[in-house]
Amino acid sequence: MEITWYGLSCFRLMERNLASVVTDPYGAAIGYREPDLTADIVTVSHSAPGHSHVEAVREARHVIRGPGEYEIGGVFVTGLTPDPDRVAAADRNTVYVLDFAGLKVAHLGDLAQVPTQTQIEALGVVDIVLVPVGGGTALNATQAAEVVSLIEPSIIVPMHYRTEAIALPLDPISKFLKEMGLEAPQPDPVLKITKNGLPSESKVVLLEPRFALS
């Protein structure tokens, strides 16, 4: 599998012979250059412009905007709403668990509070978690570290934090790394991983936002 980060909460996930997925595409108003992507599936965690600009993804055949269970192109998608205070709101957050032939990735979207143990168990076993860490409308660094400890994934990929190009008032990645007791690792342009290649202990992987590479 290849996971590429385009900034904020937008990723593209690709696995050979399976449907490709883009999560939470954004428009240029947030500060990043608007991505120009293609994918089979687009997931939208909530309706905010920084997470729902599906026009940035060409040729998308399936747009998923809320909870439910879906099977598309060999990828199993489960949408859950663990934010009880926002379930009835127009901008309710949906967490997606994406199962790529047994390799499970959880995209937490704009999760704003630490879920209960029951809600964590509903996610099932998660191999890779894409977790917001920069605060604002989503988890701050302390909350994100707690959520990671509850999910116990093999790989943690931070998202939704401040970079040089972003216009949103978010915290930098350094706060989350401090909470995790880590020095800043060298960012990678893309995460390439297989089920058999998962680390035996949880590992934080920083990705370079793709806008900076083009």
Side-chain angles (χ1 to χ4, degrees):
M1 164 181 277
E2 292 189 3
I3 301 178
T4 306
W5 185 43
Y6 289 85
L8 203 59
S9 303
C10 181
F11 294 83
R12 181 164 61 184
L13 301 91
M14 302 179 66
E15 176 62 83
R16 183 178 299 178
N17 298 324
L18 298 178
S20 56
V21 180
V22 166
T23 66
D24 281 14
Y26 54 78
I30 69 164
Y32 292 130
R33 182 169 62 251
E34 182 175 316
D36 180 16
L37 301 171
T38 59
D40 301 303
I41 304 168
V42 179
T43 62
V44 175
S45 65
H46 65 299
S47 60
H51 299 260
S52 62
H53 189 61
V54 297
E55 294 82 2
V57 186
R58 294 179 286 112
E59 303 175 9
R61 294 181 292 168
H62 306 275
V63 178
I64 302 175
R65 297 181 181 270
E69 296 183 354
Y70 315 84
E71 191 280 313
I72 302 168
V75 178
F76 291 87
V77 182
T78 303
L80 303 165
T81 53
D83 272 347
D85 294 339
R86 290 168 58 172
V87 167
D91 67 341
R92 67 179 179 179
N93 179 67
T94 302
V95 167
Y96 293 100
V97 179
L98 310 167
D99 185 342
F100 289 82
L103 185 61
K104 295 184 178 180
V105 183
H107 184 281
L108 302 188
D110 230 27
L111 185 67
Q113 57 186 293
V114 177
T116 65
Q117 186 62 42
T118 298
Q119 292 163 344
I120 290 290
E121 290 172 358
L123 298 177
V125 176
V126 172
D127 299 308
I128 302 170
V129 65
L130 312 177
V131 56
V133 303
T137 58
L139 300 173
N140 61 32
T142 302
Q143 293 170 318
E146 183 177 353
V147 169
V148 164
S149 70
L150 291 171
I151 295 177
E152 298 183 327
S154 295
I155 294 178
I156 302 135
V157 180
M159 64 178 185
H160 200 269
Y161 58 87
R162 189 174 78 223
T163 67
E164 293 180 359
I166 203 167
L168 302 177
L170 299 174
D171 293 329
I173 187 62
S174 57
K175 286 194 173 184
F176 175 68
L177 295 175
K178 183 178 180 180
E179 287 287 340
M180 297 293 290
L182 299 173
E183 298 292 332
Q186 182 66 33
D188 295 315
V190 63
L191 171 60
K192 297 182 179 181
I193 194 71
T194 65
K195 181 74 173 179
N196 292 335
L198 291 169
S200 57
E201 297 185 0
S202 291
K203 176 183 178 181
V204 173
V205 175
L206 291 189
L207 295 178
E208 297 173 356
R210 187 72 176 187
F211 79 93
L213 304 180
S214 58

